[in-house]
Structures are given as structure tokens and as C-alpha cells.
Amino acid sequence: MAEGEDVGNEWSRIENAIVTSLRHLRDRYLRSSRRLVEEKTPLEVESEPTEATPLQRLPVEVQLYIVALLSPWDLCRLGCVNRYWNAMVRDPLLWRYFLLRDLPHWNSVDRLSLPHAALLGKPLTDSTEHDYMTAYLRSSPESRKHWKWSHPVYNSVTSFFYSLVPQVEPRFAMFGPGLEQLDTSLVTKMMNSPRLLPLASLPQRQVDGAFSDTSGCPNRIGSGISFLFNNEYKFNILTLYSTTWKERECARIEENEVVNKLFVQQGAHVAQGDAESAQGQRASYSIIPQVQRACRLVDGFIYVANAEAKRRHEREQEQLQIQAMIDPALGSSSRPLLVLCCISQPDVHRIPCVYVSHQLQLGQLDRPWLAHDTDAQSLGGFLEGIGWILREVGRL
């Protein structure tokens, strides 16, 4: 309850600050308009009226309510009406309000659209102006669609050249705590949703290295499972579990953490007496040799993050493990990373993908990446993410 009250108080402060800013803006505009009327001749006033319109005379609280219902594109058009609306829709505080209000509902963000963390954490008393309007328009999924549609000729030429080359199904390594901590298994849903994601083939070959499969039995790393995207484009997912099935089930029931067997912490041989002194140092990870061999064979990575708000997350540790998996020493640094911010079911309270991206410090990566909200029960958002990574590797 206290957290909800804090959020409500914060929004009240923001709205009050916007109303105050708009009220000052309107007062300045009306004073300027009266001054211009006094200086103009009757003929100039008749041809170019400067008096406030009835809409401009509305209480600023009502004006804020109206503009809050408009899309970003409608707001930009509104700014072309006259000087008053142009100044109003450029108010940085107004766009900051829109940004903070809307970004939790955006279901995807990438390296070009992720708003800077500093923009989101500025106090209301900060008098420094920031271009929140540009940040909003760059981050909005609606804006990103316009960017993608701006190069139709290039896309058609690229598709033509790819059609001339024999296609080998792309392979993606999928890993992350969302595979193992959620009550609903994402992989199980993927394999049992033929209408959304038809199976193309089951594992036929092996990648060298001892490991464990989904049943927890000792095995070699499988070649992965092949699926069909849009019943046409074949792709392969190599699922890398950090523990056996039995260990994962016990951890879920007992709500305990299990040792991640995919990664080896550097300096793990530190003596017990030195453990406290080592805690202040930044840890680093490497992946086990058999997984290194698998990573050299893949065309991209899919990280399944646990985005359920009810759970405590070790994001710094996850960030270091992602860096170990996508290490350029194991392959091209241009291979894309898809981050699925996954929850068990659509009605579970989630951490928005924008916040997960900042927690994982994805903005520091020098490769294409996309974070997309997903739920394991309905596979909502999963196909959109797969479509993105297939485009990144040139298969769409």
C-alpha cells in the first residue's frame, strides 16, 4: 500500500508541475498577444487575429487532459496551429510526463530507442532542460515502425540477394533464468503450440560436450529444436539449461537458488577467509568449454529474463553472465541478442522491458539487441521477438 501511495504522490507532483508550467506559458502568451494587438493596425488584426481562441481560454487542467488523449503525431500536428500550441507541445515537462507515463506500457525497446536512464531519474526540481520530446519520439514503438518502413527499396534488394544464396537454418542459443524459474515453462509451450510455432524437426545430431537435457539425464548438448516461423522460415533453438530438471523443480518448490552450471566464476578458488574481501570486487564469469563450442556455432542469442516483479533478481550477476556468453572471442560481435522479458502468465505483475534493459545495462552492448515483453503461457510477444532476430540475421 505504501508503495502505491508513493507512486500516486509522485504522479500528483508531476501533474501539478505541468499545470503550473502550462499556466505560466498561457499567461505569457496572452500578455504577448495583447501587446501585439496594441501595436498592429486594424487591418493587420483582421487579417491575422492574435486573440486567444476559446480552446486556449480553457483551464490548463482541461487542456492537459485533452492533449493527454492525443497521439504523439497528433500533438506534432497541433503544434502547427499557432504559436501558443507550438510552445505548449514543446514543453519539456509535458513530454517527460508522457515518457514516464507510457514507457511501462511499451512492449519492446532496442539499442537505438532505449531512453537514457538519467532522463528517467531527474528530480522535478532540476531546472536543466532536456529534450524529452526527442527521447519520447525515438523510444516509442510507433515511431520505430516508421523508421523500419522508410527503406522499402533496400529491404526488397536484400531479400532478392538472399534468395540467390542457399539458405541454412539459423541457430540461436537460448539461456537465462526465465527458462528455469517461471511456473510456466516457455520451452514446453513452444513445443506444444503448433498453431503459433510449428515444429520442423527434433534433434538429430549432437554438439560435443557432456551436459544434461530437459529430463535431467546426462547427455550431450543436443543440436536443438527446429521451428517454423510464419509456416515458412525455419530456425533452430539450442536451449542451454544451467541445471537438471530435478534441480530446477526442487528450487522452484523450495524457492531456493541453485548453482548455475553453465558459468564458472573467475577467482572461485578464493579461500574462505578471503571471501569477505573478495565481495567488494567486481566478479566475472566464463562459460564451460562444451558450451563455448556450442556458442561458436550459433548465429545469435536469446536471453530469457525473469521479469516477474514479485521475485528478487540478481541483475548484476545476470549482466556478467550475458557478457560471458556473447564474448567476441567466441564469435562475431555483430551477432544479435534478443532479450525476452518473460513472465509466467499475462496477469502476473511484470517489470517493463525498459526497466529490465537498464537493469541489465543493455545500452552498453555494441551489438544489435532487442528487449521484448513476453509471457510463457500464451507466447505473447515471443513471435515478434523471433521475427526481429530473423531479420537481423537476414532470414526475413
Side-chain angles (χ1 to χ4, degrees):
M1 179 63 72
E3 181 179 355
E5 291 177 355
D6 291 341
V7 172
N9 292 335
E10 177 67 16
W11 278 114
S12 296
R13 289 193 294 268
I14 293 176
E15 291 177 353
N16 290 335
I18 295 173
V19 167
T20 301
S21 175
L22 296 183
R23 183 175 290 115
H24 290 164
L25 169 66
R26 187 180 65 173
D27 292 343
R28 289 196 305 270
Y29 177 80
L30 293 177
R31 286 196 300 268
S32 174
S33 298
R34 285 193 294 268
R35 189 164 54 250
L36 289 174
V37 169
E38 294 172 356
E39 295 173 355
K40 288 180 178 294
T41 65
L43 183 60
E44 289 174 327
V45 173
E46 183 178 353
S47 61
E48 186 182 349
T50 55
E51 286 292 333
T53 64
L55 186 59
Q56 292 166 208
R57 294 194 186 97
L58 289 173
V60 290
E61 294 86 353
V62 178
Q63 292 182 13
L64 175 60
Y65 177 78
I66 292 174
V67 298
L69 299 176
L70 301 179
S71 71
W73 310 110
D74 291 334
L75 282 174
C76 293
R77 296 187 188 99
L78 179 62
C80 298
V81 173
N82 58 29
R83 290 185 300 113
Y84 173 77
W85 291 111
N86 183 270
M88 180 180 183
V89 302
R90 290 180 178 274
D91 188 317
L93 199 56
L94 181 67
W95 285 95
R96 180 184 177 185
Y97 168 79
F98 291 149
L99 184 64
L100 296 178
R101 180 196 67 181
D102 293 346
L103 67 84
H105 305 289
W106 293 340
N107 61 9
S108 67
V109 65
D110 59 21
R111 63 172 179 169
L112 298 177
S113 61
L114 179 66
H116 199 280
L119 293 179
L120 308 180
K122 291 288 184 181
L124 288 174
T125 55
D126 187 351
S127 59
T128 306
E129 288 193 2
H130 298 278
D131 195 352
Y132 288 98
M133 179 179 179
T134 298
Y136 185 100
L137 296 177
R138 184 179 65 245
S139 304
S140 168
E142 184 178 354
S143 302
R144 302 209 307 272
K145 291 179 182 178
H146 286 272
W147 297 350
K148 293 175 183 177
W149 295 339
S150 62
H151 303 288
V153 176
Y154 172 80
N155 288 339
S156 61
V157 171
T158 302
S159 299
F160 171 73
F161 280 119
Y162 272 110
S163 67
L164 301 179
V165 181
Q167 297 294 299
V168 177
E169 65 183 75
R171 174 186 285 178
F172 306 113
M174 185 163 69
F175 66 107
L179 289 177
E180 309 176 40
Q181 296 175 351
L182 300 178
D183 295 332
T184 302
S185 169
L186 177 64
V187 174
T188 300
K189 284 294 179 179
M190 288 165 51
M191 296 181 63
N192 292 278
S193 303
R195 293 185 178 180
L196 292 177
L197 200 64
L199 286 174
S201 63
L202 292 174
Q204 298 293 329
R205 57 193 185 282
Q206 304 292 335
V207 176
D208 289 339
F211 206 63
S212 60
D213 61 12
T214 55
S215 67
C217 300
N219 203 341
R220 299 157 74 85
I221 299 177
S223 62
I225 302 172
S226 294
F227 300 91
L228 285 177
F229 179 78
N230 286 347
N231 288 311
E232 181 178 0
Y233 302 98
K234 194 175 181 181
F235 67 96
N236 185 282
I237 289 184
L238 176 62
T239 306
L240 302 176
Y241 289 99
S242 68
T243 56
T244 65
W245 177 85
K246 184 176 181 179
E247 290 170 331
R248 293 193 298 274
E249 285 301 304
C250 291
R252 265 198 294 265
I253 295 172
E254 300 174 3
E255 298 183 353
N256 292 329
E257 297 292 335
V258 293
V259 177
N260 191 320
K261 298 179 181 178
L262 285 178
F263 301 93
V264 177
Q265 185 172 354
Q266 301 302 305
H269 58 278
V270 176
Q272 182 69 27
D274 299 331
E276 293 184 2
S277 61
Q279 286 180 354
Q281 303 177 1
R282 185 176 175 84
S284 62
Y285 291 87
S286 63
I287 55 178
I288 59 178
Q290 52 266 46
V291 177
Q292 290 183 21
R293 288 191 283 271
C295 286
R296 290 189 174 95
L297 302 176
V298 300
D299 302 287
F301 302 89
I302 302 175
Y303 183 76
V304 185
N306 185 339
E308 294 187 347
K310 64 182 180 180
R311 188 182 181 91
R312 185 177 64 87
H313 305 284
E314 301 291 343
R315 297 300 193 201
E316 183 176 357
Q317 185 181 69
E318 293 181 48
Q319 173 204 351
L320 295 173
Q321 292 174 352
I322 291 175
Q323 292 176 351
M325 188 71 73
I326 64 176
D327 188 345
L330 302 177
S332 171
S333 60
S334 64
R335 293 182 294 179
L337 169 68
L338 170 62
V339 178
L340 299 176
C341 304
C342 198
I343 57 178
S344 298
Q345 300 172 349
D347 58 349
V348 173
H349 182 46
R350 71 159 59 250
I351 303 173
C353 62
V354 174
Y355 297 138
V356 174
S357 300
H358 281 303
Q359 292 168 0
L360 295 175
Q361 299 188 28
L362 298 181
Q364 298 182 4
L365 301 182
D366 60 350
R367 68 180 63 226
W369 63 265
L370 174 78
H372 205 295
D373 287 340
T374 309
D375 75 85
Q377 181 66 38
S378 68
L379 295 183
F382 179 80
L383 293 182
E384 290 84 351
I386 293 298
W388 173 83
I389 199 169
L390 288 176
R391 284 191 295 271
E392 288 295 319
V393 299
R395 293 302 191 267
L396 286 185

